[in-house]
Amino acid sequence: MGKTIAEKILSNHSGVDLAAGDFAVCKVDFAFGQDGTSSIIIDRVKELGLKELKTRFCMVIDHSAPSPSEGVSRVHKKMRTFAKEFQAPLFDIGCGVCHQVIPESGEVLPGSLVLGADSHTCTYGALGAFSTGVGSTDLAIALATGKNWFKVPQTIKIVVKGKMPKGVYAKDIALYIITKIKSDGATYKALEFAGPVIDNMDMDGRFTISNMVVEMGAKAGFMPVDNKTFKWFAARGVSPLRIKALSADKDAKYEDTLEFDISNLKPQVSFPHSVDSAKPVGEIGKITINEAFLGTCTNGRLQDLKIAAKILKNRKVAPGVRLIIAPSSRPVFLEALKSGLVNIFIQAGAVIVAPGCGPCVGTHNGIPADGEVVVSSANRNFKGRMGNPNAFIYLASPATVAASAIKGYIADPRELL
């Protein structure tokens, strides 16, 4: 019987021939925590009396960076002390979002098994890794033993076909698919993406879609490992000898196969307070905004910034609108500076904050006031997500965010492209 990608990776890491529905203890290749979860990881490691860690581990200060409060500063100090004690790599303030800096570091390869104390760890499926989010205590157990237990998920194959319309990007495809499948439609499933649209998509777009599979409830999501994947690694100094092509067997058994033709797809907008509520931007009426946010582990990459810059160039942010931009990492920020994107943003009236999560999680850098409306390129718009349960968050692509910042209301980017 052929195997899906999830079945292959978990079989390889358990030493047992596994199929969907099986339980197994698997070797973990890499684990990490961020500043919202690492404090508990450190406490558990200390409680277990560990003197060394049994799997590769790093920490990233990205959710509240630089620190906005005394309490957060204590957590950051705790992380820095632990990193020195255990000689664990630490990406400190300004390095960027964990889901950008860790892939950039070359730690995650196709076929890897990765655990992160962050729900969007599924992002690394863009590189062909089985990567999934767990709680801080589960992650500490992996550090203590080098292993953890897994249930092998059923897999849904998602085929995306058609021709990408003008003004439509990977984020629009993700929001559209999530709205069709719903927030719990793929709970504890693995997703395999295929089809001509995925094959033609750049790596930044693949990261965007992989990042959002958890918004359907999925455990992991996989993109093809192809020439684009190899070129992405080569550009970051990873030897091709370390990379192995990975794909499902032709006779792999899927729980379901879903096809989406996006030839007629229009730019999508998800409504408060759920991700699976997307509608075409032309059908939502005129929704005035107070804040526009471009960034996050979903859409803070270089291609996202380039898309926004095309719209913002030689234009001004509308009066009464705050446009906040957070590059996903220091290398992305540097490239944006080098290529003139930052000049475009600042001249348009945007505010650039340190590489990191920015206001996404609601701890600093742009918390909205009561009743304010935000259009965001983030992955979640739950009540209170950006720090105020009395605000309203709409999700959209970087192009739609930029167009909305110019217009002062949620706007169709095709009008400005």
Side-chain angles (χ1 to χ4, degrees), residues 161-170 173 197 201 262-263 265:
K161 59 186 182 180
K163 184 179 179 181
M164 190 83 91
K166 177 184 176 181
V168 170
Y169 302 92
I173 295 172
V197 172
M201 187 175 289
I262 54 89
S263 300
L265 188 66

Side-chain angles (χ1 to χ4, degrees), residues 15-274:
V16 178
D17 186 21
L18 299 173
D22 291 341
F23 290 85
V25 174
C26 301
K27 179 181 180 295
V28 175
D29 293 314
F30 183 75
F32 74 90
Q34 34 87 344
D35 50 331
T37 56
S38 289
S39 182
I40 297 174
I41 295 170
I42 293 168
D43 289 344
R44 297 296 176 265
V45 166
K46 297 293 187 179
E47 290 167 6
L48 290 167
L50 300 186
K51 301 301 180 184
E52 63 177 1
L53 307 180
K54 297 297 180 65
T55 193
R56 301 201 318 276
F57 174 67
C58 82
M59 292 179 291
V60 185
I61 296 177
D62 60 357
H63 276 53
S64 303
S67 170
S69 70
E70 180 184 355
V72 170
S73 293
R74 283 196 293 268
V75 170
H76 290 179
K77 181 179 180 180
K78 185 176 182 180
M79 293 170 68
R80 293 173 184 127
T81 301
F82 182 88
K84 287 182 180 179
E85 181 180 351
F86 283 84
Q87 297 183 330
L90 173 71
F91 295 93
D92 213 318
I93 62 169
C95 287
V97 186
C98 54
H99 305 311
Q100 181 72 12
V101 299
I102 291 172
E104 285 178 345
S105 73
E107 286 284 359
V108 177
L109 300 173
S112 297
L113 181 54
V114 178
L115 294 183
D118 186 284
S119 57
H120 290 100
T121 304
C122 52
T123 306
Y124 316 156
L127 301 176
F130 189 114
S131 55
T132 194
V134 297
S136 298
T137 299
D138 268 335
L139 195 130
I141 294 302
L143 298 183
T145 65
K147 302 175 181 179
N148 216 312
W149 72 272
F150 297 83
K151 179 183 178 182
V152 184
Q154 296 280 353
T155 298
I156 299 172
K157 187 172 185 178
I158 296 179
V159 180
V160 187
K161 59 186 182 180
K163 184 179 179 181
M164 190 83 91
K166 177 184 176 181
V168 170
Y169 302 92
K171 179 61 162 292
D172 299 296
I173 295 172
L175 294 176
Y176 177 74
I177 291 174
I178 292 167
T179 298
K180 293 298 182 182
I181 293 177
K182 294 302 179 184
S183 61
D184 58 353
T187 298
Y188 214 100
K189 314 293 183 188
L191 305 179
E192 287 184 17
F193 290 89
V197 172
I198 300 299
D199 292 339
N200 292 327
M201 187 175 289
D202 61 33
M203 289 301 295
D204 282 0
R206 293 179 183 183
F207 276 113
T208 293
I209 294 177
S210 296
N211 174 270
M212 296 196 70
V213 302
V214 71
E215 309 310 332
M216 297 174 256
K219 194 71 174 172
F222 303 99
M223 291 289 171
V225 177
D226 56 13
N227 287 336
K228 290 184 179 180
T229 320
F230 278 78
K231 288 180 180 178
W232 189 91
F233 278 114
R236 286 151 185 83
V238 179
S239 168
L241 298 176
R242 295 180 59 202
I243 307 165
K244 296 180 180 179
L246 179 74
S247 62
D249 294 326
K250 291 183 179 179
D251 58 343
K253 184 178 180 181
Y254 294 100
E255 182 180 81
D256 201 357
T257 298
L258 304 175
E259 293 192 359
F260 297 92
D261 189 330
I262 54 89
S263 300
N264 296 314
L265 188 66
K266 296 177 175 60
Q268 301 287 297
V269 178
S270 286
F271 277 58
H273 299 281
S274 64

